[in-house]
Amino acid sequence: MKKSRIPALRAIAAAALAVAAPAHAAVERIEITERAPFAPGVKFGEAGEYEKLRGIAHFALNPKATPNLPIVDLKRAPRDKRGMVRFSSEFVLLRPVHGRSTTLVYDVNNRGGIAMLGQINGKSPKNNDPTTAEDAGDGFLMRHGFSMLFSAWTWDVAPQPAGARPLVFKPPVAKGVRGMVANEFIVNAAAEVATYAGMRGLTYEPATADDPHAVLTERASQGGERKVLPRARWHFVAPEQAGGPGRIKLERGFQPGAIYEVRYEAKDPRVSGAGLAGIRDLLAYFRDNPVEDAMPPKNVLVFGISQSARVIGRMLHDGLNVDEQGRLAFDGAFLQVPGAGGSAGFNSRFVQPTRHPSMLEEHDYPADAFPFTSLPSRDPLTGRSASTLDKAKDKRGRLPKIVIANTSTEFWNRGASLLTTAPDGSGDVGPAANVRVYGFMGAQHYVGRSRTRAPFTACVSTSNHYLPMRALMLALDAWTSKGTLPPASAYPRVEDGTLVTVEAYRKAFPAVPGIAPPAQNLRQPRLDFGARFPLQGIADIVPPQQKVPYETRVPAPDADGNDRGGVRLVEMQAPLGTHTGWNLRAPETGFAGFTSRFDGSFVPFARTEAERKAGNDPRPSLEARYANREAFLAATRAAAERQLAARLLLQEDVERIIAERAGLYDRIMARDPAEQGCNYLFAAP
């Protein structure tokens, strides 16, 4: 990689540069350890050339400061002579070389990996280290002049292949603290040894090696009775690779169709909330201070996908978006596919940020809890009224501007309807004036990429919701920097019949060949960890007691089985088939009838009326819908123009979505309907 042409003495100094922050700031100094051109020789439109800076931010948190009081166990962390809790975080900054970047956008990494570039620019950087023009994808964020900041915030990231550079946080540790932890896991095929950590993550290991008092249970379902497996039948074994999660070896092995849970005493919890404060304070630092000859940005945004979006939700819930000086750390936030928002995860004792519930798994894990809505709503069970933004105002009473976008999959698997309904699902609760909510109908958690049905029953949905995300990113920037209002919220609602019960969905869903709707979506668990958990984040009941769950709803289907309401993507307006937010697990996994965590389904329409009738398909064929290929392309272009007018698609992406749809049309028309593979969904590489 080509290095920047810095004189030798300056290069040495830059590698150990300590930039002091104001005395009251939580970031005391930063070190720049690397400064080099990004994508050398490439100019990104008017923004020009970019450079990459790597560094380390050094933090000192006052555990007595009011803004830091929500951080669980911060007072139990080691302190220096001044009473400060110290830690550090690696960061990466991409920015234009010449001129001032008016907007800095912070990407909350997902399990250590840079996420924003993959979905917005269309390319995830190799080895999590953006360096080349290829790593820039189509250069969207660069062409629009954004500076991009990434840093470490979570500790529970499993080891990655050699050469990868995940951003992994080393938080303060509350030494000497002990408590019970529970780890739930399943297997998709029979296995003698299984890992009990969360997805691509780590967990707390037993305080006592191969803890003889640990308990392993199995049950057939979330509500089923736990059966204790004899301790003599199993034991803990070493990680598969150094630093990885521990494993369990079970005599006669683990079997699909069972939910396993291991409980034991752990020690020395990480102060995970310090990672959230680290995001807050790093953004406050870059907002206020010039870094390596560049002036501070005028506008600061934060962006998160899935787990990372839920991190932002928890920051807002706890007021950790407001810095120690009482100012907003960021002007705007984009929460992409956060489900119900993440208001109960990431900041409690022995928390494991990697874990989260789905329809099948981990209903005992704290991820989401009342309140869910940005305007106050009332929980009829407790009588409490609250909103997610009650603690998010700065000292001047200001709130950040917020964009929240979910796909159809989050309504089935992550309780997304709770963002805009009462906790009992009885009616709508509109978003606050500073919030926009969007539902990308017919899309799944990420744009589908699996070429096989297994371990599910249908091919995945390839609806491209990344394109409206690009439009909304620019809209958020304009909203926060210029006051230009973004597109109106668009999500399914109870009052107009586009948000319904699963029972109503199943009755309305057509008899699409080869698929049938699930019997249930995720009814968000209401968990009781004991009296100390709501305010102190300390669980005294492990596993928790499950109370009456929150009621969740799903988008209503139309006559084709495509979701109504919300943002009707181009794929829904000129459809080639049925796109759903759910995909059922295959029977061989042991959990037939349950849904994939992240994947939806796609079933194309029959090509001709003769094929439709032969297959007993109630949906009109492509032949009946579009006279020919040109007619389909005309319908697609009209849909794209409507999205453009609604400011949910950019002009630069109109031809792209038309080309994508034309390619799929051609592949469907060339496909043998008897072929059960999913390769036809994807263009040849």
Side-chain angles (χ1 to χ4, degrees):
M1 179 181 69
K2 180 181 176 182
K3 299 292 182 181
S4 60
R5 295 177 178 176
I6 305 173
L9 290 177
R10 186 181 174 193
I12 295 172
L17 177 66
V19 182
H24 46 54
V27 175
E28 287 199 329
R29 61 188 176 92
I30 65 169
E31 299 176 42
I32 303 300
T33 58
E34 176 187 348
R35 185 178 183 182
F38 170 73
V42 176
K43 291 185 177 181
F44 296 96
E46 294 182 2
E49 297 177 332
Y50 265 65
E51 65 177 348
K52 175 176 67 175
L53 282 73
R54 278 189 178 271
I56 300 173
H58 297 268
F59 300 84
L61 290 186
N62 180 358
K64 296 181 180 180
T66 299
N68 297 330
L69 294 181
I71 303 172
V72 172
D73 282 333
L74 186 64
K75 291 184 177 180
R76 294 179 176 270
R79 307 185 203 181
D80 65 11
K81 294 180 180 179
R82 295 169 50 210
M84 308 293 279
V85 177
R86 295 186 174 276
F87 55 93
S88 64
S89 173
E90 181 185 9
F91 68 85
V92 178
L93 175 67
L94 300 179
R95 69 183 187 188
V97 173
H98 303 292
R100 180 179 184 180
S101 176
T102 58
T103 298
L104 171 72
V105 56
Y106 177 91
D107 176 28
V108 184
N109 77 70
N110 191 300
R111 293 169 174 83
I114 290 171
M116 177 173 61
L117 293 177
Q119 295 200 1
I120 300 293
N121 280 23
K123 181 70 175 181
S124 296
K126 186 178 180 181
N127 289 327
N128 202 49
D129 183 23
T131 302
T132 67
E134 183 182 5
D135 292 332
D138 71 356
F140 177 86
L141 291 164
M142 291 81 175
R143 286 187 281 109
H144 288 279
F146 290 103
S147 290
M148 289 150 276
L149 180 64
F150 319 90
S151 73
W153 67 268
T154 187
W155 60 271
D156 66 334
V157 178
Q160 298 186 13
R165 302 182 71 174
L167 293 163
V168 182
F169 184 50
K170 295 182 179 179
V173 176
K175 292 284 189 180
V177 175
R178 290 179 174 247
M180 295 299 295
V181 299
N183 299 277
E184 181 182 295
F185 60 100
I186 62 174
V187 296
N188 289 334
E192 185 181 34
V193 178
T195 297
Y196 48 88
M199 184 175 63
R200 303 199 312 273
L202 300 174
T203 184
Y204 286 95
E205 300 299 337
T208 302
D210 200 21
D211 186 351
H213 302 294
V215 176
L216 178 65
T217 66
E218 67 175 356
R219 63 192 192 277
S221 64
Q222 284 294 335
E225 181 180 356
R226 289 173 167 86
K227 174 187 175 183
V228 177
L229 300 179
R231 188 64 178 86
R233 280 188 55 199
W234 65 274
H235 62 275
F236 292 95
V237 296
E240 189 172 7
Q241 66 180 115
R247 300 177 297 163
I248 291 175
K249 185 174 182 179
L250 176 65
E251 180 185 318
R252 296 194 295 275
F254 298 98
Q255 302 298 322
I259 298 174
Y260 297 94
E261 181 185 76
V262 61
R263 301 194 304 272
Y264 48 79
E265 186 181 50
K267 66 178 181 179
D268 301 339
R270 281 83 164 179
V271 183
S272 292
L276 280 57
I279 296 172
R280 173 197 71 186
D281 295 329
L282 188 63
L283 288 177
Y285 181 90
F286 275 88
R287 178 199 63 204
D288 295 337
N289 296 279
V291 175
E292 283 289 90
D293 308 322
M295 294 300 294
K298 294 181 180 179
N299 196 36
V300 177
L301 306 178
V302 61
F303 177 92
I305 300 168
S306 191
Q307 176 203 49
S308 311
R310 292 183 285 116
V311 168
I312 302 170
R314 185 62 198 246
M315 291 176 69
L316 295 165
H317 178 271
D318 287 352
L320 291 173
N321 64 302
V322 179
D323 68 17
E324 290 188 356
Q325 301 173 59
R327 298 185 297 169
L328 294 178
F330 49 84
D331 303 290
F334 194 135
L335 283 69
Q336 172 65 18
V337 292
S343 59
F346 310 108
N347 186 24
S348 55
R349 181 175 292 178
F350 291 113
V351 70
Q352 299 174 50
T354 295
R355 295 187 182 274
H356 66 90
S358 69
M359 180 178 162
L360 168 63
E361 298 149 296
E362 301 192 294
H363 288 197
D364 287 337
Y365 186 75
D368 302 292
F370 181 85
F372 302 99
T373 54
S374 55
L375 282 179
S377 58
R378 181 179 179 273
D379 184 348
L381 189 68
T382 65
R384 179 187 171 206
S385 293
S387 86
T388 57
L389 302 179
D390 289 345
K391 299 177 182 178
K393 292 181 179 179
D394 70 2
K395 63 183 178 182
R396 295 167 54 187
R398 299 181 307 166
L399 287 165
K401 307 293 194 302
I402 302 168
V403 166
I404 305 175
N406 278 304
T407 71
S408 290
T409 296
E410 284 75 54
F411 286 87
W412 285 92
N413 287 321
R414 286 305 319 276
S417 64
L418 290 168
L419 292 175
T420 57
T421 68
D424 61 1
S426 59
D428 299 310
V429 179
N434 65 304
V435 178
R436 294 291 186 272
V437 177
Y438 305 95
F440 296 139
M441 298 296 93
Q444 63 176 47
H445 192 72
Y446 42 69
V447 173
R449 51 183 179 256
S450 176
R451 293 174 180 262
T452 63
R453 294 173 182 259
F456 311 113
T457 58
C459 292
V460 297
S461 175
T462 57
S463 299
N464 191 349
H465 62 282
Y466 296 168
L467 299 185
M469 282 173 59
R470 287 153 66 106
L472 289 175
M473 173 60 75
L474 297 189
L476 177 62
D477 185 32
W479 192 15
T480 51
S481 63
K482 301 175 184 177
T484 305
L485 292 177
S489 293
Y491 55 89
R493 306 168 190 255
V494 173
E495 63 186 15
D496 65 6
T498 57
L499 190 67
V500 298
T501 64
V502 173
E503 180 182 11
Y505 180 96
R506 287 171 57 85
K507 289 180 179 178
F509 192 79
V512 178
I515 62 172
Q520 184 58 54
N521 67 332
L522 173 67
R523 298 179 69 208
Q524 197 70 33
R526 189 190 296 262
L527 305 177
D528 181 3
F529 288 92
R532 293 194 295 172
F533 191 80
L535 296 179
Q536 300 178 52
I538 301 172
D540 296 308
I541 305 173
V542 179
Q545 295 179 359
Q546 293 214 10
K547 306 296 185 180
V548 177
Y550 301 103
E551 288 295 333
T552 50
R553 301 287 184 259
V554 296
D558 64 16
D560 290 325
N562 286 316
D563 291 343
R564 299 165 51 209
V567 176
R568 297 277 288 179
L569 300 176
V570 171
E571 293 91 330
M572 302 297 103
Q573 296 186 49
L576 290 170
T578 298
H579 300 258
T580 76
W582 45 266
N583 199 333
L584 297 183
R585 294 174 63 95
E588 60 266 24
T589 68
F591 291 104
F594 287 92
T595 58
S596 161
R597 278 182 183 262
F598 306 117
D599 297 288
S601 305
F602 176 71
V603 181
F605 298 136
R607 295 176 298 181
T608 65
E609 282 297 286
E611 283 184 2
R612 179 188 72 79
K613 293 175 182 177
N616 294 316
D617 192 336
R619 304 168 301 162
S621 66
L622 292 175
E623 176 183 69
R625 294 168 189 268
Y626 313 107
N628 49 39
R629 185 178 192 272
E630 288 68 29
F632 168 71
L633 291 181
T636 299
R637 183 173 294 279
E641 293 293 340
R642 287 191 291 272
Q643 289 292 76
L644 180 66
R647 295 187 294 145
L648 291 167
L649 187 68
L650 299 175
Q651 183 66 61
E652 67 179 275
D653 291 329
V654 169
E655 296 305 322
R656 174 177 166 182
I657 187 62
I658 293 173
E660 287 179 1
R661 303 301 292 161
L664 181 56
Y665 176 92
D666 292 340
R667 294 192 297 276
I668 290 174
M669 295 303 290
R671 167 180 171 265
D672 181 349
E675 170 58 46
Q676 292 299 297
C678 305
N679 276 325
Y680 78 95
L681 291 174
F682 306 94

